[in-house]
Structures are given as structure tokens and as C-alpha cells.
Amino acid sequence: MTFSLVARSADSRLHGVVVASKFLAAGALVPAAEAQVGALATQAHVNLAYRPQGLTLLRTGVPAADVVAGLIAADAEREHRQLGVVGVSGPGASWTGPACHPWAGGRTGDGWAAQGNVLTGPEVVDALGEAWLAGSALPFAERLVAALRAGDDAGGDRRGRQSAGLLVVERDGGYGGRSDVLIDLRVDDHPDPVAELGRLFAVHTLLFSRPDPATLLDLSGAVADEVAALLRALGHPVADDGPEGALISWAGLENLEERLVPGRIDPVVLTHLRGVAPHVPAPRSAS
């Protein structure tokens, strides 16, 4: 009753799962991932035990195909299950039990596995795989979302749309560097869940993506003067030694703290600040 893509990044630093279904909160059931270990999706007649068991096997270095074989061998209801697995290296693996509702099947390649059941046809899984392969220039999470959108555009779940989810893990990649969960977004019940997931992902990218060091601006000179003026216009007191303290305070209120860099400012943050502050003419030399 679901279509999903399980994948890892080319450098094996990131693992993720993206999923959509005509099922309430599929993102709460289908995906599982562990940083520098692997990821899996359990669907059709979901077996939640596959998640901890599969990650345990991956953690010990068992290849994805053998993880699938081991999980289904011990499952008396394997004919009703669907499963996709990716490890830290090698090809992904997928299982579709013969009792899964049609259309059901999967495709796999190096570092990815796409699968689905109760689909409009094989073109959905084909679109997932083809979009994943075509998106190699995209950032990892964006590539997953683009693949899911392609599967949805190709027909998706033949019963309709209801939920979607995105899970991405990276060692110390989560909020404040204190978690391995880089992204965990869910749309539990929505008439157009894949589009809504894309909207949430854009908000997440704005708030929580780390800034590109090559684009950072020194918080000095005309840039500092403009930032100070904008912050004052928003009612934030600026100290005589510069706007950094006020910027930290304001950014925390705007949930942009993950984009702060000492002594510098992310252009994304500056653009947002300009957008919310009352009009303050920008110095000509500010970017």
C-alpha cells in the first residue's frame, strides 16, 4: 500500500528513506535508519520487528541482500511483506512477497532500493529509480524528495494519496550536532502529501541547513552596520561592540540558530532579516 526509496550517499555518510502511501502516517511505520550503518523500509503488511532486527544485522556488516534473506526466512508471513534495505556499501536489496497486492515489485542498484505495492503500475518504481539516478548532482535529501515526487507523478498508490515521510541520518548531523537524525519529516494525513512534504522540506532547509562557508559574509563594516540597523528596527538593542549578540538573540527567536557562524553572517539569514525588518536602506557595499 506504499512506495518508497531507501538509499545512501556516494560517500556513505548519509542514509535515508522516503515514502508515500494511501495509509495514515506511513512515515511513522515504514522507515528506519542508523548513521554509518544503513537504512530500510518495511511495507505492505508491515513488520515493525524488521526495523531493529535489520539494523542489527547491518551493524554487524551483513550485506543488504543477506539482511533481506535473513529477515524473511524467519517470518512466517513473508509472502505478505515488502522490504527494501541498503547498507554502507554494495547494492541495495528488495523483497516483494507474492501475496502483496498488485502492482507490486522493486528495483535496486548500487546504494539504493525502490519498491512499492498497490501501485498504478511498474512505472512508479521505475520513476523512483530513474529520478534517483538522474539526480546525482542534487544534495542527498533533495534527491530523495525529487525521486518520491517522480514516483507520485507516475501514478503512485492506485488507491490515492494520504501520507508521506522523509528520514535522513548522518553521524552528528542532527540539531546542534547532538543527534544523528538530520531530517525526520512526516505528513500524516493530507490530500497531496508529497507536495506538502516538499514544502516542509523547504522550510527545514531554510531553518536547519548548515551555511555554505564559501558564501559567508564578514560581520564587519557595511554589513555589520546594516545588520545593526535592521535589528534596531525590530526592537533588538545592539551593543556598542557590534550586532553579533543581538543577531544571536533574534536568530533564536526566528529558529535560525543553526545557521549562525561566529563573526560572520549567512546570506540566507541576512535575506530573511531584511525581509522581516521595517525598511532600512542597505549600504551600497553590503551584499
Side-chain angles (χ1 to χ4, degrees):
M1 300 174 285
T2 302
F3 57 101
S4 68
L5 177 71
V6 183
R8 69 166 180 271
S9 61
D11 59 7
S12 298
R13 289 176 52 245
L14 299 113
H15 285 82
V17 184
V18 69
V19 57
S21 180
K22 179 63 171 71
F23 187 91
L24 180 69
L29 301 178
V30 172
E34 184 174 332
Q36 297 182 2
V37 169
L40 62 88
T42 171
Q43 55 200 56
H45 187 42
V46 169
N47 185 342
L48 292 176
Y50 280 1
R51 301 193 305 181
Q53 292 170 357
L55 291 175
T56 296
L57 290 169
L58 289 168
R59 203 177 299 124
T60 62
V62 176
D66 292 339
V67 171
V68 169
L71 291 176
I72 65 172
D75 187 353
E77 296 187 59
R78 57 185 170 272
E79 292 191 351
H80 300 273
R81 313 291 193 199
Q82 194 168 49
L83 174 65
V85 179
V86 165
V88 294
S89 62
S94 186
W95 159 262
T96 297
C100 290
H101 293 289
W103 188 89
R107 282 184 60 187
T108 62
D110 185 29
W112 63 275
Q115 47 280 315
N117 62 95
V118 200
L119 303 182
T120 57
E123 64 274 5
V124 178
V125 169
D126 290 344
L128 280 170
E130 289 163 8
W132 172 256
L133 293 173
S136 60
L138 296 174
F140 181 74
E142 184 178 346
R143 188 179 178 188
L144 285 172
V145 172
L148 189 71
R149 187 179 300 113
D152 192 51
D153 289 344
D157 189 321
R158 64 181 170 87
R159 300 165 308 155
R161 299 175 171 90
Q162 186 168 8
S163 65
L166 170 67
L167 175 64
V168 178
V169 296
E170 179 185 21
R171 181 63 53 84
D172 300 326
Y175 184 82
R178 295 179 178 88
S179 164
D180 292 343
V181 180
L182 181 63
I183 304 173
D184 187 3
L185 296 175
R186 282 177 26 197
V187 178
D188 288 346
D189 187 21
H190 194 279
D192 195 356
V194 174
E196 177 64 5
L197 182 67
R199 186 190 70 81
L200 293 177
F201 175 64
V203 175
H204 186 281
T205 299
L206 169 66
L207 296 178
F208 302 120
S209 290
R210 305 298 195 274
D212 180 353
T215 67
L216 294 173
L217 304 171
D218 289 333
L219 194 57
S220 61
V223 173
D225 291 343
E226 181 190 3
V227 170
L230 292 167
L231 290 168
R232 289 191 185 102
L234 287 167
H236 291 267
V238 176
D240 292 339
D241 60 352
E244 188 157 15
L247 178 63
I248 292 170
S249 176
W250 168 82
L253 293 173
E254 293 292 312
N255 301 318
L256 287 165
E257 62 272 14
E258 287 289 276
R259 285 188 168 273
L260 293 178
V261 177
R264 312 190 81 185
I265 186 167
D266 181 355
V268 172
V269 173
L270 181 55
T271 296
H272 186 70
L273 178 58
R274 287 169 174 166
V276 299
H279 179 66
V280 175
R284 290 184 179 182
S285 57
S287 299

